[in-house]
Amino acid sequence: MERLDKRVAGSLTRFYVVALCVVAMLTISGLFLIRRTISNLNHDSRVVNVAGRQRMLSQRLTKLAILKLEGREHRDSVSFSSLLQLWKGSNESLAHRRLPVGSDFVTWKSPPLDTMFRDLAPVFDRIYQNFLLINADTVSLGDKQNALSEILANEPLFLAKMDKIVFQFDKESFERLENLERIEWILDLMTILVLIAEGLLIFRPVVNTTRRVVRMLTESEDALQLSNQMLKEANYQLLEAQKELLRVEEEKYQLQLAEDRVRAGALIEGQEEERKRFALELHDGIGQMLTGLKLHAEKLKVVQFHDEKHRRRFEQLVQLIQDTIQTTRQVSFNLMPSVLSDFGLASALRLLGEQTADSSGINIEFEGDSSQRIEMSRPMEIGLYRIAQEALNNAVKHANADMIKIKLEQNKNRIVLEISDDGKGFLISNLKSEEGFSLNRNGMENIRTRSQLLNGKMEIVSKVDSGTKLSITVNL
């Protein structure tokens, strides 16, 4: 079923279009009639002027004929023949209802004027023929005198008939003007009636409908505002609930992070304690046993071996014992360097760089003051050392660097540890991708975890073929 609003809108639109079309047609018709009448009036004035000129030309020709017969001089520059031809041509145009105006012709329909021109034709012909006799050189003076007398006798009749023709032209023009005025009044009255009908049948229903729609919209707006207010209150309550939920989730998340940190801290602390215990076991247990074994082996050097092969094997055994002792000391140092607890972090980092340089062949420099120990907590000291150890190990394994630099400085209440290299570098985005560098494989997760446990800030700067720099900032 068609909706009511569409049906009403369609009906009103049709009425409105029809009313506008009627008004437009009436207006256009009035303009057309006015334009046409004005054009006719212009043509009528042209015809009246030509008709009036005919009277003037006949009088002028008569005057010239009299002067010509009497042989008097005159100042009229126009020739008699040209005036006569103009008078004849204008009369023929008026009689045949085809008057040239510019490049066009003016025509009209008037039976009274046709009758008048038929009555005028014999008089015009008699005068014209006599003018021709006067203008002819072969005619005698007596004949010309008789022709002039004939002209003077017929001229008053010609002028009287031309006056009637001019008055008839003017009368018909005035009648057309009055007719136009009547038609204009009729069109104006019809336009007013159409506008009144439009106001009653279209405008008034539209106003009533608009008033009703506005009232309904106002009521709907009030209801909508009330609903919006209720919805706003409900949204506010929902937002409060969401904020509370987010706060609970945030507390839960922070609690979980704290638990993870405590767990990671406990795990790392347990690892460090286990490393310390294992380092002591290696140093005091296996290390001492290997040292004793080395002393007993060196005492056997005084024994003379009869077989040269046995002597070389014994020397290889002594060297193997020495290498085993050195490796045990290195493992013990890596697990828990005694220089860290005895002389502090700077000395431990310097020694770590020297040992790594000896074992890897890479130039490693330490920048820092190792003569003065930086006062910090034991867990912080161990954590920074492990971070440097892990970062240095990554640089040696993956960077393909020629130069590695370890920098430790104290800036007021902050400790800044930097490990930089001139290696091949990598894209930071690859740290989180499955391909390329992996967090666990490169030890970056351990570094991140230790820096978080120390409440420190970790920053990695790296570009391909431009090296890598790891910076750890910890507040004392």
Side-chain angles (χ1 to χ4, degrees):
M1 185 176 180
E2 187 179 8
R3 291 176 53 182
L4 179 60
D5 56 348
K6 290 185 177 181
R7 186 167 65 252
V8 173
S11 178
L12 293 177
T13 301
R14 287 192 295 272
F15 281 126
Y16 194 66
V17 170
V18 170
L20 289 179
C21 290
V22 172
V23 172
M25 289 177 61
L26 292 174
T27 304
I28 294 173
S29 300
L31 293 175
F32 175 76
L33 289 174
I34 292 173
R35 182 67 179 173
R36 182 178 178 182
T37 303
I38 291 174
S39 178
N40 291 333
L41 289 176
N42 291 332
H43 296 163
D44 291 345
S45 64
R46 175 67 175 173
V47 173
V48 171
N49 289 334
V50 172
R53 189 184 64 183
Q54 287 295 94
R55 298 172 70 254
M56 181 271 295
L57 290 176
S58 67
Q59 294 175 349
R60 189 176 178 185
L61 286 169
T62 303
K63 181 188 72 170
L64 291 175
I66 294 172
L67 293 175
K68 187 173 183 180
L69 289 178
E70 292 181 355
R72 296 182 182 182
E73 294 182 358
H74 56 85
R75 297 181 179 180
D76 200 334
S77 60
V78 182
S79 65
F80 186 84
S81 298
S82 62
L83 285 176
L84 185 60
Q85 291 300 321
L86 177 62
W87 185 56
K88 181 178 182 298
S90 298
N91 185 78
E92 290 178 352
S93 297
L94 292 173
H96 293 88
R97 295 174 296 176
R98 189 174 177 83
L99 184 66
V101 177
S103 60
D104 201 358
F105 291 92
V106 177
T107 60
W108 62 91
K109 294 180 180 180
S110 176
L113 287 174
D114 293 341
T115 303
M116 290 180 180
F117 276 110
R118 283 196 297 270
D119 293 340
L120 180 65
V123 179
F124 176 83
D125 290 338
R126 285 195 295 271
I127 295 174
Y128 178 73
Q129 293 298 328
N130 288 310
F131 277 138
L132 290 177
L133 291 175
I134 293 174
N135 192 38
D137 294 334
T138 58
V139 179
S140 64
L141 180 60
D143 292 337
K144 290 183 178 181
Q145 296 251 346
N146 293 331
L148 179 60
S149 299
E150 186 73 18
I151 291 172
L152 293 175
N154 289 282
E155 185 179 12
L157 182 60
F158 176 79
L159 293 176
K161 291 183 178 294
M162 284 302 302
D163 286 339
K164 290 182 180 180
I165 290 174
V166 171
F167 291 149
Q168 182 64 29
F169 269 119
D170 185 65
K171 179 183 177 181
E172 291 181 0
S173 297
F174 185 73
E175 289 177 352
R176 282 194 291 269
L177 189 60
E178 287 183 339
N179 187 35
L180 173 65
E181 187 176 359
R182 287 192 296 271
I183 294 175
E184 186 66 23
W185 275 106
I186 294 173
L187 291 176
D188 292 340
L189 182 60
M190 292 178 64
T191 302
I192 293 173
L193 292 176
V194 170
L195 292 176
I196 293 174
E198 181 180 356
L200 294 176
L201 300 177
I202 300 176
F203 182 73
R204 187 175 179 182
V206 169
V207 171
N208 294 332
T209 303
T210 305
R211 185 185 297 112
R212 184 170 62 255
V213 171
V214 170
R215 185 174 64 251
M216 295 173 62
L217 289 176
T218 303
E219 295 175 355
S220 300
E221 184 179 2
D222 294 339
L224 181 61
Q225 289 181 354
L226 181 60
S227 300
N228 288 337
Q229 185 65 28
M230 296 175 62
L231 182 61
K232 185 177 180 181
E233 294 177 357
N235 288 335
Y236 178 76
Q237 296 177 359
L238 180 60
L239 288 175
E240 291 296 326
Q242 289 179 348
K243 289 180 180 179
E244 183 65 21
L245 181 61
L246 289 175
R247 187 184 63 79
V248 172
E249 291 293 332
E250 182 66 21
E251 290 180 354
K252 182 179 178 181
Y253 177 70
Q254 294 296 334
L255 181 60
Q256 185 176 359
L257 285 181
E259 291 178 355
D260 292 341
R261 289 182 180 180
V262 171
R263 189 179 297 108
L267 180 61
I268 291 176
E269 185 178 358
Q271 290 177 352
E272 294 297 335
E273 290 295 329
E274 185 65 22
R275 287 179 177 179
K276 181 178 180 181
R277 185 189 65 79
F278 191 60
L280 291 176
E281 289 291 336
L282 286 177
H283 185 270
D284 296 338
I286 298 177
Q288 296 298 329
M289 294 172 63
L290 290 173
T291 302
L293 180 60
K294 177 185 176 184
L295 292 175
H296 287 297
E298 287 180 349
K299 290 181 180 180
L300 293 177
K301 285 184 179 181
V302 298
V303 178
Q304 296 294 328
F305 291 94
H306 299 287
D307 190 351
E308 182 63 23
K309 184 185 295 185
H310 291 167
R311 186 184 64 80
R312 285 198 303 271
R313 288 181 180 176
F314 178 74
E315 291 178 354
Q316 291 175 357
L317 178 61
V318 174
Q319 184 63 37
L320 179 60
I321 294 172
Q322 179 63 32
D323 294 341
T324 304
I325 294 173
Q326 185 64 30
T327 303
T328 303
R329 289 177 180 175
Q330 184 66 35
V331 172
S332 176
F333 177 82
N334 291 334
L335 289 173
M336 183 58 64
S338 58
V339 68
L340 180 63
S341 58
D342 295 338
F343 301 101
L345 179 60
S347 299
L349 291 178
R350 180 183 294 276
L351 183 58
L352 176 63
E354 292 175 355
Q355 291 181 349
T356 306
D358 293 338
S359 61
S360 64
I362 300 175
N363 186 15
I364 301 176
E365 293 184 359
F366 173 77
E367 181 178 342
D369 188 5
S370 60
S371 62
Q372 185 177 1
R373 182 169 184 171
I374 301 175
E375 296 297 331
M376 65 182 71
S377 63
R378 179 67 177 172
M380 182 180 294
E381 201 170 47
I382 295 176
L384 291 175
Y385 179 80
R386 294 303 182 193
I387 290 174
Q389 193 177 31
E390 190 71 44
L392 191 61
N393 184 47
N394 282 342
V396 171
K397 287 184 178 180
H398 305 290
N400 294 333
D402 297 327
M403 175 70 180
I404 301 176
K405 184 177 181 180
I406 304 173
K407 181 180 179 180
L408 179 68
E409 64 177 359
Q410 180 181 5
N411 187 4
K412 295 182 179 179
N413 293 326
R414 291 189 304 173
I415 297 294
V416 180
L417 173 63
E418 290 185 1
I419 296 91
S420 59
D421 62 73
D422 59 354
K424 63 183 181 180
F426 59 92
L427 294 176
I428 301 297
S429 58
N430 288 338
L431 286 176
K432 298 181 180 180
S433 63
E434 296 180 358
E435 300 178 357
F437 291 88
S438 171
L439 290 174
N440 293 329
R441 188 170 65 192
N442 292 292
M444 297 303 298
E445 185 64 30
N446 293 333
I447 295 175
R448 190 187 303 276
T449 301
R450 288 185 181 274
S451 63
Q452 289 177 352
L453 291 175
L454 296 176
N455 292 324
K457 178 183 177 182
M458 183 184 76
E459 183 180 2
I460 301 175
V461 178
S462 181
K463 294 182 179 179
V464 177
D465 298 329
S466 297
T468 304
K469 182 176 75 172
L470 171 67
S471 177
I472 305 294
T473 304
V474 181
N475 293 324
L476 290 175

